[in-house]
């Protein structure tokens, strides 16, 4: 059984809005100008690209993927070894954009990430993004049981 856990948009919230606007404008302009196809291409790349983690529980492997245009999955499979661990960290990502008047817009996302660690407690890849610590602990235990790994509570930061 494979599960796909969505993580983030590649260009942040403002990039998604700008990409969707370019996509819509390109769709409107394409019947009149061939250059509208270029706007559709750029808008769909910026607005729809995202990151995710695909977990294959049957074959004990994971892939951190960049989803180009929202559909083309690019990444490398990593085999899960028995000495790997699963842990939780608190994530605080801030997306910053500037207007033409040089004003900043900061959008902060606070969440908890379930991560895969190797045998030496180094981060390998994020697995899943959740909103609260209680849900993160529950999901961490479930993922660890399905993969046959230990969930190390000392890795909770």
């Amino acid at each position: 059984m494979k599960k796909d856990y969505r993580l983030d948009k590649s260009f942040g919230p403002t990039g998604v809005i700008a990409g969707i606007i370019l996509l819509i404008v390109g769709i409107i302009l394409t019947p009149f100008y061939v250059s509208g196809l270029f706007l559709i291409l750029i808008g769909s790349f910026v607005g729809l690209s995202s990151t995710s983690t695909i977990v294959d529980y049957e074959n004990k492997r994971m892939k951190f993927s960049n989803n180009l245009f929202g559909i083309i999955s690019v990444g490398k499979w990593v085999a899960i070894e028995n000495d790997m661990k699963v842990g939780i960290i608190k994530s605080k990502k801030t997306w910053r954009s500037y207007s033409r008047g040089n004003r900043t817009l900061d959008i902060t996302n606070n969440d908890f990430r379930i991560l895969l660690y190797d045998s030496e407690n180094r981060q390998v890849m994020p697995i899943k993004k959740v909103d609260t610590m209680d849900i993160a602990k529950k999901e961490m235990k479930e993922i660890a049981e399905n993969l046959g790994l230990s969930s190390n509570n000392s890795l909770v930061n």
Side-chain angles (χ1 to χ4, degrees):
M1 171 178 75
K2 288 184 183 178
K3 283 205 173 178
D4 188 5
Y5 299 113
R6 300 274 178 203
L7 295 174
D8 294 311
K9 293 292 187 176
S10 296
F11 297 98
T14 53
V16 169
I17 293 169
I20 297 298
I21 290 171
L22 283 175
L23 180 63
I24 292 169
V25 169
I27 291 171
I28 293 169
L29 288 178
T30 299
F32 308 107
Y33 303 102
V34 178
S35 60
L37 293 173
F38 182 70
L39 291 177
I40 290 174
L41 184 70
I42 297 296
S44 60
F45 180 74
V46 173
L48 302 176
S49 294
S50 64
T51 59
S52 66
T53 300
I54 301 169
V55 181
D56 186 358
Y57 289 109
E58 293 171 353
N59 297 322
K60 284 194 168 188
R61 61 185 186 158
M62 284 186 201
K63 177 168 87 168
F64 179 79
S65 67
N66 289 303
N67 304 317
L68 307 176
F69 300 102
I71 54 172
I72 302 169
S73 179
V74 178
K76 184 173 112 176
W77 287 101
V78 174
I80 304 296
E81 299 170 6
N82 291 333
D83 57 351
M84 290 183 165
K85 298 178 184 91
V86 179
I88 301 171
I89 63 166
K90 183 175 180 166
S91 173
K92 181 180 179 182
K93 283 195 173 190
T94 302
W95 300 92
R96 177 174 285 176
S97 62
Y98 296 94
S99 68
R100 288 191 59 173
N102 207 21
R103 292 188 183 182
T104 60
L105 171 66
D106 291 338
I107 299 173
T108 303
N109 295 336
N110 293 318
D111 55 36
F112 295 91
R113 305 279 172 131
I114 301 169
L115 297 168
L116 178 67
Y117 290 89
D118 64 3
S119 60
E120 298 172 3
N121 289 338
R122 291 182 300 206
Q123 295 179 7
V124 177
M125 72 176 70
I127 300 172
K128 189 171 183 177
K129 172 174 85 168
V130 293
D131 293 329
T132 64
M133 181 60 103
D134 295 332
I135 297 172
K137 287 181 181 178
K138 185 180 98 171
E139 292 289 330
M140 178 182 70
K141 287 179 185 174
E142 182 181 319
I143 290 170
E145 286 175 8
N146 289 338
L147 291 172
L149 299 176
S150 65
S151 57
N152 193 349
N153 288 333
S154 66
L155 296 176
V156 176
N157 294 335

